[in-house]
Amino acid sequence: MMIETVLSMRDVSRVHGSAAAAVQALRGVNLDVAAGELVAVMGPSGSGKSTLLNLAGGLDSATSGEVFVEGTLLAGLSKSRLAAVRRRSVGYVFQELNLIPALTAAENVALPRELDGLSSRKARAEALDALREVDLADLADRFPDELSGGQQQRVAIARAVVGPRRLVLADEPTGALDSVTGEDVMRLIRGRCEAGAAGVVVTHDARLAGWADRVVFLRDGRVADAAGPRPEPEALLDGAAR
Amino acid sequence: MSIRQGLLALLLDGPQHGYQLRQDFDGRTGATWPLNIGQVYTTLGRLSRDGLVETTGDDDDSLKLYALTAAGRAEVEAWFATPVQLPDRPRDELAIKLALAAETPGVDLAAVIQAQRTATVEAIQDYTRLKTEADPDADLGWLLVLDSLLFQAEAEVRWLDACEQRLARPRQPRQASQPRATRVARAEPEVRA
């Protein structure tokens, strides 16, 4: 089976500000995320986690190095081309959900597809598919303030994955949710990755990072270490009884 | 906790053979704490001597049926009702390791912390995978054990983060003669042979 790289970051650095006030947020980071893979990024505040996510999603541009999304080099794209890549390839889940209060769940999810130029009917059909995926089809016509926090977060995830998006980026996606609901959110993101998307989740919560195939530790803008799955989880249980 | 209480708890369900108790214990705790059959029979022998269980059936260990006595039932009910105290848990080798690493010249404490964090997060990944494979209805006991392991591992990672933040602060050189009697008395480091 061919492994398809959806996100590729090559020797990426980002300096904020200039001269004496320059802050090096990322230093020569390399990261590949393949279709089907979920990667968690952990690190203390100021380690460059959010910068990494913003660069991966084309919300910020690298000072040096290259970022590819589905094979497209982001540097040098015109504003409108970049905006198109962001809309079509990348879905974002933020801690603040940014749902539009005057739109129903389905309308919120359909909005990015309408901006892509789809007819409202087709956009709504895709939105309903995405809402079904997060188990919210019944509540499609409710407004955000008629939904619980967990349900709103699921709408935000549906909006992030609606249509053909292959790269899902999430920044502390379980924010204020309780631990069981937070787990449901990770289950959904994980499910989306298993269905073929590539995912990057920034979190300070090690239990959420546990859902990832790989965990990358950032420290002072560099990749300090990485944790991957081991072949036999059962072997661990002997140690658990210590 | 001891095997004693575990076996008494299983017998609340009704009389059982030794090998059934062993299987049940494994099943309910996801083999987190594997017992061998010898441990099971030895423990049952002591429980019987202490009047907490009684046996019926053959003299042969494998054919004996074990049942709780009234005293055994009282003991296991008291066990469930009593919270586990933190100091009853085994000494934390990791805390002792970091404490020693912090004060030993030439040891890179940040590297020790990161190596531990990576290992602990890998454990969290494994527990999470086991959790996704478990059946939420049939494996409830096992899921609770996994959650416990997950929360403990998460707490360890948070503690490592705190260690690192402490490490990042500038240190005052310590005076060599400063007594640290209270700290030593509390930690009582016990070096394993």
Side-chain angles (χ1 to χ4, degrees), chain A residues 81-136:
Chain A
R81 288 279 320 280
L82 184 61
V85 169
R86 283 204 301 252
R87 276 201 316 274
R88 284 171 202 155
S89 298
V90 188
Y92 304 89
V93 185
F94 297 105
Q95 191 168 1
E96 299 80 30
L97 307 175
N98 302 316
L99 295 178
I100 298 171
L103 300 181
T104 64
E107 288 163 352
N108 265 287
V109 177
L111 185 62
R113 298 300 284 149
E114 290 193 43
L115 292 175
D116 278 349
L118 253 65
S119 70
S120 340
R121 235 187 70 220
K122 189 134 196 300
R124 181 173 167 87
E126 284 192 3
L128 291 178
D129 282 344
L131 284 169
R132 200 165 298 119
E133 201 174 319
V134 298
D135 217 11
L136 270 190

Side-chain angles (χ1 to χ4, degrees), chain B residues 44-158:
Chain B
L44 286 170
R46 289 191 193 129
L47 289 170
S48 175
R49 179 199 65 197
D50 297 345
L52 300 175
V53 303
E54 56 196 3
T55 57
T56 51
D58 217 280
D59 273 352
D60 186 340
D61 265 352
S62 62
L63 295 174
K64 273 183 195 163
L65 200 55
Y66 294 84
L68 280 183
T69 61
R73 177 172 294 271
E75 169 130 346
V76 68
E77 283 169 358
W79 178 62
F80 276 127
T82 311
V84 176
Q85 300 299 314
L86 280 169
D88 293 347
R89 298 182 192 167
R91 287 176 209 293
D92 189 335
E93 180 184 339
L94 177 59
I96 293 167
K97 182 192 276 193
L98 290 194
L100 291 173
E103 311 268 354
T104 308
V107 176
D108 181 350
L109 182 55
V112 175
I113 291 173
Q114 182 56 50
Q116 184 64 43
R117 181 188 283 121
T118 301
T120 306
V121 167
E122 281 173 348
I124 290 175
Q125 287 178 297
D126 289 341
Y127 295 143
T128 306
R129 200 154 350 109
L130 290 171
K131 204 160 127 171
T132 58
E133 290 161 6
D135 178 332
D137 299 317
D139 301 328
L140 182 59
W142 171 221
L143 281 168
L144 293 180
V145 172
L146 279 174
D147 272 337
S148 161
L149 295 170
L150 275 165
F151 278 100
Q152 284 172 40
E154 181 203 11
E156 186 170 291
V157 172
R158 289 168 63 172

Side-chain angles (χ1 to χ4, degrees), chain A residues 40-43 49 170-174 186 201-206 208-209:
Chain A
V41 180
M42 294 189 78
K49 302 188 299 276
D171 194 352
E172 301 286 3
T174 67
M186 292 309 292
V201 177
V202 161
T203 182
H204 68 281
D205 184 337
L208 297 184

